[in-house]
Amino acid sequence: AQVIKRANEVLLHLEKTHGSEEGAKTKSLEPDDDLQLSFFQLDDPALEAIREELLAVDINTLTPVEALMKLNEIRKMVGG
């Protein structure tokens, strides 16, 4: 539901800015923080736990088997 709500907000914003003649003109691309979506900005405890897991992993020291085991742990956290 949150994703759909956010998608509708982004769509409305894009329709407003690109629907008019002024919006249709070619403009220089500037970063727009309002349109930047982030996996880690969602208010979900499960996503926060996954974020913490990912930040705690030192990928330079993982063996391939350890990496697969960690991926499986994260997958279980998602419920898959």
Side-chain angles (χ1 to χ4, degrees), residues 2-74:
Q2 287 179 325
V3 172
I4 293 171
K5 180 182 177 207
R6 181 67 179 134
N8 284 328
E9 291 172 358
V10 171
L11 177 61
L12 183 62
H13 174 74
L14 289 173
E15 287 174 342
K16 285 181 181 178
T17 59
H18 297 311
S20 66
E21 289 182 15
E22 185 175 314
K25 292 179 184 175
T26 304
K27 295 189 269 184
S28 63
L29 296 176
E30 297 178 26
D32 189 356
D33 291 336
D34 209 22
L35 292 178
Q36 180 65 40
L37 301 177
S38 175
F39 177 77
F40 298 118
Q41 289 179 345
L42 300 175
D43 292 333
D44 186 343
L47 295 179
E48 184 62 31
I50 292 170
R51 178 180 185 271
E52 294 301 320
E53 275 292 320
L54 291 173
L55 291 175
V57 173
D58 182 5
I59 61 171
N60 295 318
T61 61
L62 284 179
T63 66
V65 172
E66 290 172 332
L68 286 173
M69 290 178 7
K70 183 58 74 177
L71 183 57
N72 192 40
E73 286 177 28
I74 292 171

